[in-house]
Amino acid sequence: MIEISAVTKIYNGKVKAVNQLSLSIEDGKIVGFIGPNGAGKTTTLKMMTGILDCDEGYIRLNGHDIGTNPLLAKKQFGFVPDNPDVFLRLKGIEYLNLMADIYEVDSLERKSRITELAEAFSMTAALNDKILSYSHGMRQKIVVMGVLIHQPSIWILDEPLTGLDPQSSYVLKEMMRKHAQSGKTVFFSTHVLEVAEKLCDQVAIINRGEILYFGTLEELKGRYNQMSLEEIFLEVTRHG
Amino acid sequence: MAKLLSLSTAMLKNTFSLVDQGRKRKTNRWISIGFTLILVVALLPTVASFFMLTSDGIELLLPLNQEGVILGLLLNAVPLLIFFFALFLVPAIYYFSKDIETLLALPLRPYEILGSKLFVSLIYEYLTISFFFVPVIAAYMYIMQPAVGFYLFSILLFLTLPLVPLIFASVIMMVIMWLVPFAKNRDFFNMISGFLALGVGLWVNMQVGGLESITEGQLVAFLVEGNNSLLQTFKFIFPNIPFALNALLQGSVVDALIYLAITSAIVLGFLSLGQLLYFRGIIGINETASSRKILSEANLSKSTRSSKAIVSYTIKELKLLFKTPIYLLNCVSINFLLPILFLPLFTMSSGAEEMQDILAMIDFNSPTTITVAIGLGIAVGLTMGSINMISATAISREGQFFYFMKMIPMSYRDQLNAKAASGIILSLSGILFTIIFAGSYLKLPFYLILILLFFAIMATLFINYISLLVDVLHPKLVWESEQAAVKQNMNFLFTMIPSMGLSFLIGYVVINYPSSPFLFGTISLVVLVVATLTLVQSLPRIAEHRFKSIH
């Protein structure tokens, strides 16, 4: 369960990147976060993950406030940032083991999780190599694996499918579906409307820091008869 | 040429506009202004002392008509200093900077990229040499009141002096990097290339540098002769320097022109050589070979052993320090290089004899000796803990991945302690290496080695936490190359200068106010322990407050 209540973020005392944003995401849902460049998506995700502080409002993850109880709140989620270039000098396996230690995953469980994830993402032969030698897509995969290693109940992903090959993209989407079906939550930002259409139970459309629409895609389509999703998105953000 | 100029300008703007993260905020701007002011105030005594020292030297040499020796020393020392700085600077700017792959994809000739890199390095060298060159030349001008030509040529010399030593270092590095593709283990070769360049540089210096060996009789003859005749005993590595010296001392336009001609020829020669060699070394420099070897069951079990988060975090810090070539060269190696650089002091035949004479006079059991050992231990701990810059750049080195610290469910207390631990572990290795080596060579009694070690350890704990505090308050998170995170990070000056100052102060107190070792030891210990514990306690809260304003 994610609760975002009247959250505002102001940069340099002037620019309102996010303005009174409220969202309540129930368990068992995949929610897509859509908006044009600079709409406030990444700022919102950064506030949800404790990277940025909210200037107003609060964010609760499974009931834990990220502002007042950050350590417990951070254990609830796994975050995949938009840039996967982390700790490039470490080997893949070293990175995964570090993440497992930070999230206190025991040895037996981490070993089986790593084996399982490496097979699913075709990374078994790459674990012993430095992340520096990986392609962009492989770096994206190792970051996703690092997040999934502690089996967080909430997944927060910033453009997670960018750079992934079709097979890995399919695997990740399937994982997201399974995660939601098991009663947990997936919240991810994307520019690809087709992905949102096929994958999401609900979408939140944001522009200039404000939520313009939050609900199911069917409901949105019902409001704009005969229009494609792309046209609807442009229409909503234009008038937002 | 037009491309070279616009590329150099762009690179310069990019390098020097990389200001600290979040500086736009008012509070951060004040922090930056405050830090700059402290830096200027801290450096003023250094610059002033160079001025005073030069003035005294000139006044001493003036009656002998040997005042030119000061300029000779300056033109001998500054290029050498540039050369050694360049051996650390060149790999990062020419080969390991982030813009390399973007530049390679552009339709540019090797000499155009190389020229712009040389230009950026030159600007860094100006910053370095201005601390030495300006006060010495200013003192010379103040006392000697030379002709107008001297002033003009001094400006020209300041602008062109770094070129030749920089190019010498660049050529050594270029040749070494050209060999990298032939190396079997490329990653390893990349990592140690800096050490190789340093080794070659030291060897070149030893082969051609230094003063000519002269007899005492010759020296007296030179001294009596006057007319700056002592300069004949100087031997310069770089071929353009003797002409620069003549141009300065005798106002010779011809020598100035020859100096400029040689410098220009070396620049042109370098660019031509670069046209041949630069791309051969640079293409694929950032590529790391992948083994594609599947981990065996046993290796997987070994690699997935669990540890406490703080231990794992410390190991991560150490691995990154050892595996990143720039950090290995600047932060790790210095712990072991520094004691090695002092090695000749002990091992040179005449030095060793003198040392033995001095040691024979020391009563190792006297209270004063023990007090001195305590002071010396603290000084070694402070120096070794600050010179490696590990804690002073612990946050800065995170760069754009600083968010990782904020995102993980690990308290700032644990993360900062892990970062301090990595600095402390490497400082301690240097301390052990220095004290045990020096102690056994000088045949110090065991208890004296223990005293030295104990106080060095206490001091290094303190200085590592102070350094971390400086970096927490003023991290340099926006950088283009890892080199910038450590070498172009002013934070280390805030710990280096105070720790050197404190070492001198302790030395002054120990010598001028001899007290009982018990009293001095107890006071020092209490001060160090209280200060360190206060820092350990307050640092997480300071970090929490400070990190909030970093986006």
Side-chain angles (χ1 to χ4, degrees), chain A residues 9-13 46 49-53 70-72 74-75 77 79 81 83-91 93-95 97-99 101-108 110-111 114-115 122 124-130 132-134 138, chain B residues 22 24-25 96 187 191 286-295 297-309 312-313 315-317 319-320 323-325 398 400-401 403-412 482 544 547-548 550-551:
Chain A
K9 182 72 201 174
I10 303 167
Y11 286 126
N12 304 325
K46 283 184 172 175
T49 51
I51 295 171
L52 284 179
D53 273 358
L71 288 191
L72 216 52
K74 284 174 189 175
K75 284 188 177 168
F77 67 81
F79 174 56
N83 181 356
D85 296 343
V86 289
F87 303 127
L88 299 180
R89 309 270 175 191
L90 293 185
K91 288 179 180 178
I93 186 72
E94 291 173 335
Y95 172 70
N97 208 42
L98 170 72
M99 295 303 277
D101 279 334
I102 288 172
Y103 286 93
E104 296 163 351
V105 182
D106 71 51
S107 293
L108 272 180
R110 79 175 64 172
K111 193 179 157 191
I114 289 172
T115 314
S122 312
T124 310
L127 287 181
N128 202 29
D129 291 328
K130 277 187 194 168
L132 192 64
S133 71
Y134 291 3
M138 288 164 83
Chain B
K24 282 177 191 162
R25 283 174 70 107
F96 296 109
D187 283 351
M191 216 156 74
N286 290 324
E287 295 302 315
T288 298
S290 50
S291 64
R292 298 274 154 184
K293 221 169 82 183
I294 294 175
L295 277 170
E297 182 64 22
N299 278 338
L300 186 64
S301 299
K302 207 176 137 195
S303 308
T304 51
R305 256 183 229 150
S306 66
S307 323
K308 280 206 172 296
S312 205
Y313 200 102
I315 294 171
K316 180 263 292 181
E317 290 288 317
K319 273 186 183 163
L320 293 178
K323 288 183 175 188
T324 311
E398 296 285 341
Q400 58 175 315
F401 308 114
Y403 70 83
F404 183 81
M405 287 187 75
K406 292 176 140 190
M407 182 193 86
I408 54 172
M410 193 173 168
S411 66
Y412 284 143
E482 287 141 343
E544 199 163 339
F547 290 173
K548 271 184 187 172
I550 301 174
H551 302 148

Side-chain angles (χ1 to χ4, degrees), chain B residues 329-533:
Chain B
L329 192 64
N330 289 295
C331 303
V332 178
S333 70
I334 196 84
N335 297 292
F336 307 100
L337 274 179
L338 200 69
I340 291 172
L341 286 176
F342 283 115
L343 199 75
L345 276 183
F346 298 116
T347 51
M348 273 189 316
S349 55
S350 60
E353 276 169 28
E354 280 165 24
M355 195 66 79
Q356 291 304 327
D357 293 343
I358 296 168
L359 285 171
M361 289 190 291
I362 296 174
D363 174 9
F364 286 120
N365 294 315
S366 88
T368 316
T369 311
I370 297 172
T371 310
V372 170
I374 294 171
L376 202 62
I378 295 173
V380 169
L382 291 177
T383 310
M384 297 303 290
S386 55
I387 206 157
N388 60 32
M389 301 176 290
I390 295 174
S391 296
T393 59
I395 312 293
S396 300
R397 291 196 311 270
E398 296 285 341
Q400 58 175 315
F401 308 114
F402 170 71
Y403 70 83
F404 183 81
M405 287 187 75
K406 292 176 140 190
M407 182 193 86
I408 54 172
M410 193 173 168
S411 66
Y412 284 143
R413 178 178 297 279
D414 284 352
Q415 293 193 58
L416 293 170
N417 282 336
K419 281 182 179 290
S422 61
I424 290 166
I425 290 169
L426 282 165
S427 309
L428 284 181
S429 325
I431 287 170
L432 282 174
F433 188 63
T434 312
I435 293 183
I436 293 177
F437 168 76
S440 55
Y441 191 82
L442 301 174
K443 298 188 179 67
L444 297 181
F446 185 62
Y447 75 91
L448 219 52
I449 294 181
L450 281 184
I451 289 174
L452 276 165
L453 269 179
F454 177 74
F455 282 93
I457 290 168
M458 297 315 290
T460 216
L461 291 176
F462 164 73
I463 198 71
N464 270 285
Y465 273 99
I466 280 275
S467 307
L468 198 53
L469 172 70
V470 171
D471 205 28
V472 161
L473 288 173
H474 196 247
K476 183 187 169 107
L477 296 169
V478 185
W479 39 259
E480 275 294 296
S481 86
E482 287 141 343
Q483 171 87 5
V486 287
K487 287 307 262 190
Q488 288 132 36
N489 190 336
M490 291 297 157
N491 285 352
F492 90 99
L493 284 177
F494 291 101
T495 53
M496 274 289 291
I497 291 173
S499 67
M500 280 161 85
L502 209 59
S503 301
F504 282 120
L505 184 74
I506 290 166
Y508 181 80
V509 170
V510 167
I511 292 164
N512 290 293
Y513 304 97
S515 59
S516 80
F518 181 75
L519 183 71
F520 181 65
T522 311
I523 293 174
S524 306
L525 191 61
V526 169
V527 170
L528 285 173
V529 169
V530 169
T532 310
L533 287 179

